Every structure is written in structure tokens, then in C-alpha cells.
Amino acid sequence: MIPKLPFLSKKVSADKSKLFIPGRRDFLKLSSLIGGGFVLGVNFQCSGPKGETVTFAPNAYLSIGTDNTVTIIAHRSEMGTGIRTTLPMIVADELGADWKAVKIQQAVGDEATYGDQNTDGSYSIRMFFEPMRRAGATARHMLVEAAAQEWNVEASGCDTREGMVVHEASGQTVPFGELVELLRQMPIPEAENLTLRKLSDYKLVGKSVPIYDVKDITEGKALFGADVDLPGQQIAVILRSPVVGGKIRTYNEEKALQVSGVNKIVQISGNGVHPGLNKPLEGLAVIADNTWAAMKGREALEVDWELGENQDYQCASQMEAMIESTLQEGRLRREKGDVKQAFSSGGRIFENTYRAPYYAHATIEPPTALADYKEDGSIEIWAPTQHPQWARDSVAEALEIDVSKVRVNVTLLGGGFGRKSKPDYVVEAALLSKAIQKPVRVQWTREDDIHHDFYHSHSAQRIKAGLDATGKLSAWNHHTVFPAIGGTSSADELHPSDGEMGLGCTDFPYEVPNIRIESHEAKAHTRVGWLRSVSNIHHAFAICSMLDEIAEEQGMDPVAYVLSLLGEDRKLAFSEEMKGAYPNYGEAIEEYPWDTARMKKVIERVAQEAGWGSAEKEGKTLGFAAHKSFLTYVACIVEVAEDESGKLIIPEVHYAVDCGIPVNTDRIRSQFEGGAQFATSLALSSAIQFENGRVIQNNFDGYQIIRMPQAPKKIFTHIIESTEKPTGVGEPPVPPFIPALCNALYKLKGKRIYELPVKEVFV
């Protein structure tokens, strides 16, 4: 089954196999666009009837009409990141289009045409920056050649801008649309003959561009998952097993069917104790004319469950067992020097254990999907999915049909954070539509979402650090333990994968002569998945908190201390020290090394911007942390204070970020602003708990996300100018914020924080 991201799987190569690079054959997949965002292959060499728009489409991402409309395909999913705007910006800039005349259409799930469409892992920009440039450059090259032939001038003297081809010497101009007919006999240029614009010539890239859908979203016109309706559709809500692995012994549907509007009860078979990342849980679907009837019918169901081996699971007990395990020797994941010898050589020892709870994604829009099974055995789906291709493949597998018979249309997403890359809810809708031979929308409630998520693992980490006689950090022993994502699919996966370990743990960058990193066994008793920034969350919390404590105990400034630990400017690969693979977020380490100079630069920048050196004089309480994740370097400073009533407030947050080429600064800032809010919830109030195999939280009253009073008041994002390859910005804001906040709270309250969430700070 399809893995989530290359760097989270156990066997990972650092090649470019996941990177779709449009070649000549791909460019020959000519496209036209029709209403509804569906892409149909046509030959642009054919003229339409008189008065009908003819389309020039040199590749899968771009078309130009004789009406001068430039249409760009958005093949990634929009959930607030702005990717539906940012990738088309690159195409438009390279093409020389008039952004005001650009239309954006959402692609269906189709890997053969668009390449990877999994909008996850903060790699959309880094994966498709160059392909999008080439897509635009191909059309620009052909337009320039066509205009030059028409004018009988050298193509080298022509360029494109604002939707026109321009001959600089004569001042002649021609709109793109008037050249479409001339392009019919022109060959597609070879990739090696393309010339890309200089970054300094771009008019959109590197600037702040609002998201394309902002007007429709603010006016309530945008199409989200539950906004799609079909004639004759039914609504389904599902009573799922309260414990992962539970099975239905018996059930009585009589009372449910008596509810007005309820039409049918359908059983969905589960996939056992290790259900996997794309299969539904065992349950009974109540299918009705409307959502209210379906919900009331579900309440009336009588079910006798065989809850299975997870029914006695207590997360608190597992946490204590995980902590206990860190006192023993674990599986060696990285080793440098001799930690045991260093600890026995004298000097001061620091040793702390850090805890973090389970987290839910809690997207404001709960999962939903609409499926329409057809008489010919095909099926069409509308869903707010981050991964339409995986949804397509999973539906085909569940229905035992060829994938070519599955069409997945992508709506806007009301939040994702990794939850909506898993296609279980899409499969549910497909199974039910086939069962009743009608369109069915599966609607999850908030309680469904909280009870049946793919949770971020709870974790325990013990770090033991030793200073030598001179006070220099000489030994670092990090024990980490948490149920692995792989444990959702297999009982054998008891340790984190190399990918999970490489998310802020084994890629420890500091210049310490003796390093030993170990993992320990932990069984998954629930569905575990990836959540925004994945195991960087707990690894950064532990490491950055420990470094701050060591600095403080040594009487050193935390910023200066971390800068000193980074040592000389160098590029790290870690390969000789790893006891396994270092996936490096799926990228070749030679192309994306761990660069200490870049980390130093963001640390120095954030300290300057936040006024770190003058904070005490101004009466401010600031906390600092720095962390690299998803190939992006981030430093964060959080200010905390108490208001007149003694309640905690966060007046300011400062980030400095190096994400390579900053493609859309508006979206970078918005992602860091949202990331700060998201991380504040994880730090202060959010936690999932299991008792007797069941989640005890039900809604936002129990699983609390921050409200306005707790939210940071001002968030400043300072973007490093760079010409390095672009990286990602969706997930990197989260990891350093949490320890920066905790370090600030220590200064305010005088109490070190070793466990999340930190509710007791506010009593």
C-alpha cells in the first residue's frame, strides 16, 4: 500500500524517483479545459467552429485560449497553505502572463498526468518549483517563436510580459490569444533548448500574493467537502468500533429504522487490530435522507461489540512503561565516540525526562466524502483530500475494480494537517454507494473525528548530557520511545522508522564529541499517523528545552550557547554515524545537507529582530529555540507575560526562517502565523487520553484548542533572502515554538517544563 512520505518508510533511497519532471513525452499530453475543473485530452492543432475558443496546451499544467485566457492547473490540494495559488504563480511568472487574467482549475487525482499530488510533508514547492518553471518556459518559448515568425524578426529580441509577446526594438506587441492559431504547426521545444528567467526578473515569485480563492472563501462561495450535492443522494453517519480492532458480535437495527428518514443500515467490515492507514474501522452505517435523521438513527442502534485486545489499553500506564524502558539500553540509532566513557570521566551531568501526549488533528472541517457508484461499475468521488491518488487507489482496492474506473474530484479542505491524506473516509463513502447503488455522502461529526483519528503518538524521552571539566558539552545520550506510525499496519513495528528518527532526533547537529541515540519498543494500541511536523514536535521540545536548561545552569546566554554548539560552519551528512538510513526528508543529502551556517543565520536574525539582548532592560520575558525540519531552518523567540488578572498572555512571537527561495511571502507568513497558533494549542491545552481502549475526550470542550485570549497577539516572520533551492513552510513553524514558549514560561514562573500540555502553569 502507498506510504505516506518517502522519508517515513523504513526502506528509503535518496534518489529522485518521487520527482515528476515533465519531459518531451509529458509535454505532448495536450489538454483542454472545460467546466468543473475536469481535464480532457484534445489536440490543440484542431480549430474549433467559428467563434469557439481554441486552446493551446503545451503541457499538463497550462493552456492558453484564443480568448486570451491563461488557465493553470492546480494539481495539489488547497487547505489554507496557498499551494493552489503559489504553484500557478511560478508558471505564470515564467510564462509572462497577466496574473489578473489567469484562471486556476483544480485537477482530479491522476498521477500519470500530474505526477505526485500528495499535498503533505511540506514538499510541494521543492518538488515542483522547477517543473512549474519549465511548464511556463515551454509555452513562452513557443509564443515568442510564433510572434517572431509573424513579425519576421529574431526571437532573441522578443519577450513576454502582461499576457503579450513584445518585440523590444520595434515596440510591437501581440496578446497571447492571437498567436494560438499560429502554434498549430510548431514543434514542442526540447528541454535543453529552454531558457529559464532569472529569479530577479520574476514579478510574482518572491512577492506577497493573496490566495486565489480568498474572495470566494470570505463570501461563502467556495466549495468544501460537504458543499457538494447530487440528485438523490443519501447521507451516512457511522457507528464505529470504540476500540481499534473491535468487531460487531450482533446488532439490532429495528429502532434505528423506525426513525423518520432512515432508509438502510449497512455493516462495514474492519481490518483487525492493525487496520492500516487507508482502511475503514469496523462499523454500522446509518443511511438516511438527511444528516439529522442519520445521527438520530445511529443513536438508536443496539450493538454488542467484541472489543478485542485493545479494550484494556490505558495510555497513562503505557507512558509509565515507556519512561521505565528509557532507563535500559535501547536500539542504537546513531553513535559517535564513546558516551559511556565520557560520562565516567567526571564533570557535571544533566538528566531529564520529557513527556508529550497524544494529539488529534482536530481540523475545523471534519472528514467527509461523497461517492457516486455507476451502473457500469465506475465510481466518482468528491472529497476534501490531501492525497487524491491514494484515495483513488484505495477505493479501487476496496471495490475490487480497476483504478481507471475511479475518479476523485478534490474540493477545498477546511484544514488538513495530515489527517486528510489518509483515505479511510473516502473508502467508506465508496463502499456505501456501491452497497445501495445511490450517491452517498459520509459525514463525520466532531465526536467521530476526536474518537477515531490517526493520532500523533504520545512520547517519552530521556536525555542525559554531560559536561567535561572545562564545562564543554562532551556527551549526549538521547532515548526516545513512542508508538510508530508503522504500528498502525503491523504488529512487528515496535520501534520508530529511520524516517521518524530523522525528524529532529538522529539529525542532532551540534558539535558534541560523544553522541548516542537510542529508541525503545512501544506498541500501537490505536491508529497512529502523521500530524503537522510529525515527530519533530516531541523531539524539538525535549532537545531545545534541555539545551536551554544547560545554558542557564552554566550561566550562559541560551542564544549564544546554541550558536557555540553549532561550531564551525560546515555541512553535515551524519552517514558514518547512523545505524540505519538517514532519509533526509526524501532528498539527497548532497543536495540538501544540514548546513550549520544557515541555522546560525536564522538564530542571529531572530535575536536581532526580537530585541533579545535588551529584553531584560525592557522587562520582557523571552524564550528561545531553533530547529530544522523539512529542510527548513527556523529560529523562534516567544514573549510571555501576565495580564492584570494574572492570566498568561503571549504578546509577541518572532520567527526567522530560511526556506530557500521564498516563492510567496504572503503564504510563508500566514503559515508561520497559523503554525504559532497550532503549536500554542499543543503546548498549552491539547491532549488525547485513552482509558479502556477508548478516547475519553468528545469534542472541543475536552480536546481543547486555544481561543482568542490564549492566542499570540503579534507574530512576526522574518524571511531570509535566499537563492537556495526552495524547501517547505507548512510544518517547520511548529517544532521550535513549543520549547521557546516553555523556556519563556520557565523564566516567568521559575519552573522547568518537562510535560505537555502545561496547564498547571496557569492555575
Side-chain angles (χ1 to χ4, degrees):
M1 185 44 62
I2 300 173
K4 177 255 177 178
L5 292 172
F7 56 82
L8 290 181
S9 60
K10 293 194 71 177
K11 297 181 180 179
V12 179
S13 60
D15 63 23
K16 293 288 185 178
S17 60
K18 74 177 191 311
L19 178 58
F20 175 66
I21 303 175
R24 183 172 175 78
R25 184 175 298 274
D26 298 298
F27 286 144
L28 292 173
K29 294 174 181 173
L30 309 175
S31 310
S32 181
L33 297 158
I34 63 173
F38 303 149
V39 182
L40 301 177
V42 300
N43 190 330
F44 75 83
Q45 295 180 355
C46 300
S47 297
K50 188 175 181 180
E52 182 178 313
T53 299
V54 177
T55 300
F56 159 55
N59 53 66
Y61 303 113
L62 169 67
S63 70
I64 302 171
T66 50
D67 62 355
N68 217 41
T69 298
V70 175
T71 304
I72 301 175
I73 293 292
H75 71 295
R76 313 292 274 186
S77 300
E78 180 57 71
M79 61 192 114
T81 66
I83 199 63
R84 192 168 130 91
T85 302
T86 304
L87 285 177
M89 280 171 52
I90 301 166
V91 180
D93 232 351
E94 190 64 53
L95 175 63
D98 179 359
W99 184 247
K100 295 187 293 295
V102 168
K103 292 184 178 180
I104 297 175
Q105 293 277 14
Q106 185 67 45
V108 297
D110 184 356
E111 186 166 12
T113 300
Y114 303 111
D116 189 314
Q117 291 177 258
N118 179 20
T119 314
D120 210 339
S122 298
Y123 66 88
S124 292
I125 294 296
R126 82 169 187 262
M127 177 182 284
F128 283 96
F129 183 72
E130 289 301 323
M132 294 298 102
R133 294 179 77 188
R134 286 195 291 274
T138 300
R140 174 170 52 82
H141 177 99
M142 297 178 72
L143 288 163
V144 165
E145 288 289 340
Q149 290 177 25
E150 181 76 0
W151 294 328
N152 195 27
V153 299
E154 292 292 329
S156 60
C158 301
D159 198 3
T160 58
R161 59 172 177 260
E162 297 299 320
M164 297 183 293
V165 182
V166 179
H167 183 236
E168 302 291 353
S170 67
Q172 295 182 86
T173 63
V174 59
F176 290 170
E178 293 183 17
L179 294 169
V180 169
E181 294 283 1
L182 298 177
L183 295 163
R184 63 178 60 188
Q185 301 301 326
M186 293 185 64
I188 304 291
E190 298 288 350
E192 58 267 23
N193 293 330
L194 296 177
T195 301
L196 301 178
R197 295 187 190 275
K198 296 178 182 178
L199 290 175
S200 58
D201 292 334
Y202 281 149
K203 308 300 182 186
L204 298 171
V205 171
K207 307 299 189 300
S208 180
V209 178
I211 61 173
Y212 177 78
D213 307 279
V214 67
K215 187 173 187 293
D216 283 349
I217 291 171
T218 54
E219 293 180 354
K221 298 176 182 177
L223 195 70
F224 290 84
D227 294 327
V228 183
D229 292 311
L230 293 177
Q233 75 180 25
Q234 295 283 282
I235 306 297
V237 297
I238 301 171
L239 180 63
R240 299 171 184 86
S241 170
V243 175
V244 169
K247 306 288 287 184
I248 296 172
R249 281 200 191 101
T250 61
Y251 69 92
N252 187 338
E253 62 184 30
E254 182 178 347
K255 292 180 181 178
L257 290 171
Q258 291 174 359
V259 174
S260 178
V262 172
N263 299 313
K264 195 174 183 64
I265 309 299
V266 177
Q267 183 171 349
I268 295 177
S269 297
N271 201 39
V273 177
H274 302 281
L277 294 167
N278 70 326
K279 304 273 195 313
L281 295 169
E282 181 99 353
L284 283 177
V286 179
I287 300 175
D289 296 331
N290 56 72
T291 306
W292 180 252
M295 293 171 64
K296 298 306 290 184
R298 181 171 65 173
E299 291 176 8
L301 283 172
E302 297 176 354
V303 182
D304 181 23
W305 295 96
E306 172 55 62
L307 294 177
E309 65 182 65
N310 289 324
Q311 64 182 307
D312 296 324
Y313 175 57
Q314 314 286 338
C315 67
S317 298
Q318 187 181 39
M319 175 62 75
E320 295 308 314
M322 291 194 304
I323 292 172
E324 185 69 22
S325 74
T326 66
L327 299 174
Q328 309 300 317
E329 193 168 285
R331 176 184 290 180
L332 186 60
R333 310 304 290 265
R334 179 183 170 192
E335 186 171 42
K336 173 185 176 183
D338 189 336
V339 164
K340 294 180 181 178
Q341 175 62 35
F343 284 136
S344 65
S345 298
R348 189 169 182 183
I349 302 294
F350 293 83
E351 188 169 2
N352 294 317
T353 299
Y354 300 87
R355 307 180 182 206
Y358 283 103
Y359 292 119
H361 295 81
T363 57
I364 297 303
E365 173 200 42
T368 185
L370 173 62
D372 186 13
Y373 188 80
K374 311 292 180 61
E375 290 183 0
D376 63 0
S378 65
I379 190 167
E380 187 163 11
I381 290 162
W382 291 260
T385 172
Q386 293 177 242
H387 200 335
Q389 294 158 358
W390 195 11
R392 189 184 185 201
D393 292 343
S394 299
V395 166
E397 178 187 9
L399 300 188
E400 298 181 333
I401 59 177
D402 189 82
V403 71
S404 64
K405 291 191 172 185
V406 182
R407 182 187 190 87
V408 177
N409 304 294
V410 183
T411 68
L412 295 177
L413 285 68
F417 311 133
R419 169 60 181 101
K420 293 174 186 171
S421 57
K422 293 86 163 176
D424 58 316
Y425 60 101
V426 181
V427 174
E428 288 175 339
L431 289 169
L432 295 175
S433 182
K434 182 180 180 181
I436 69 168
Q437 301 289 300
K438 290 182 179 181
V440 174
R441 183 166 76 226
V442 167
Q443 182 62 62
W444 287 48
T445 65
R446 176 60 57 206
E447 288 80 6
D448 294 336
D449 184 42
I450 296 294
H451 290 161
H452 304 296
D453 199 359
F454 291 85
Y455 305 96
H456 178 85
S457 296
H458 66 167
S459 66
Q461 297 175 84
R462 183 172 65 87
I463 298 178
K464 184 177 180 181
L467 308 182
D468 63 18
T470 67
K472 181 180 178 181
L473 184 60
S474 61
W476 183 269
N477 185 198
H478 188 164
H479 296 256
T480 185
V481 53
F482 52 94
I485 292 171
T488 302
S489 303
S490 172
D492 296 330
E493 298 294 331
L494 298 174
H495 283 263
S497 66
D498 290 339
E500 289 166 286
M501 292 296 295
L503 303 180
C505 187
T506 51
D507 55 343
F508 182 75
Y510 299 104
E511 200 169 61
V512 181
N514 303 287
I515 298 172
R516 182 180 175 91
I517 298 174
E518 306 169 57
S519 66
H520 300 264
E521 290 187 0
K523 184 177 179 180
H525 293 276
T526 185
R527 298 199 297 183
V528 173
W530 45 92
L531 174 142
R532 188 179 190 176
S533 80
V534 204
S535 50
N536 282 291
I537 295 172
H538 45 260
H539 289 149
F541 165 55
I543 292 170
C544 297
S545 296
M546 177 63 111
L547 292 178
D548 192 85
E549 182 170 343
I550 294 172
E552 193 260 346
E553 290 293 326
Q554 289 287 94
M556 296 184 65
D557 176 83
V559 169
Y561 186 61
V562 169
L563 286 171
S564 70
L565 285 178
L566 286 168
E568 297 295 325
D569 292 350
R570 63 203 195 284
K571 295 180 179 180
L572 306 172
F574 310 112
S575 55
E576 295 181 0
E577 302 167 15
M578 293 292 179
K579 305 304 177 182
Y582 177 52
N584 197 39
Y585 298 91
E587 299 291 350
I589 193 68
E590 296 79 13
E591 295 184 31
Y592 290 89
W594 216 116
D595 190 334
T596 61
R598 293 176 72 178
M599 179 57 88
K600 288 179 184 177
K601 192 170 183 178
V602 296
I603 292 172
E604 291 165 349
R605 176 71 179 275
V606 81
Q608 175 188 353
E609 297 286 357
W612 178 264
S614 60
E616 288 189 14
K617 294 179 182 178
E618 298 173 3
K620 294 182 177 180
T621 303
L622 306 182
F624 157 79
H627 189 77
K628 174 176 177 276
S629 66
F630 297 88
L631 307 174
T632 295
Y633 302 83
V634 181
C636 181
I637 289 177
V638 177
E639 179 187 358
V640 296
E642 291 180 333
D643 64 15
E644 295 178 355
S645 64
K647 292 182 179 179
L648 174 79
I649 57 173
I650 304 175
E652 286 190 6
V653 176
H654 286 264
Y655 282 110
V657 53
D658 179 352
C659 58
I661 298 168
V663 178
N664 186 346
T665 56
D666 177 77
R667 291 294 90 198
I668 294 170
R669 290 191 172 91
S670 70
Q671 284 300 288
F672 274 76
E673 290 161 4
Q677 313 288 357
F678 187 89
T680 303
S681 291
L682 301 188
L684 301 185
S685 58
S686 297
I688 288 290
Q689 298 165 299
F690 287 84
E691 291 182 4
N692 299 317
R694 305 171 188 239
V695 174
I696 65 173
Q697 287 74 25
N698 292 308
N699 207 308
F700 284 137
D701 58 338
Y703 187 79
Q704 295 184 8
I705 58 176
I706 58 165
R707 274 56 170 181
M708 291 299 290
Q710 295 87 37
K713 309 309 176 194
K714 295 180 181 180
I715 303 168
F716 301 91
T717 304
H718 312 286
I719 302 169
I720 302 294
E721 292 185 9
S722 175
T723 57
E724 297 282 352
K725 295 177 181 179
T727 53
V729 298
E731 294 166 280
V734 176
F737 179 94
I738 295 173
L741 173 61
C742 292
N743 292 335
L745 289 173
Y746 162 72
K747 291 182 179 179
L748 184 70
K749 294 288 189 176
K751 180 181 178 182
R752 284 286 172 188
I753 296 167
Y754 303 109
E755 182 175 1
L756 300 176
V758 290
K759 294 179 180 179
E760 69 274 10
V761 171
F762 313 106
V763 175

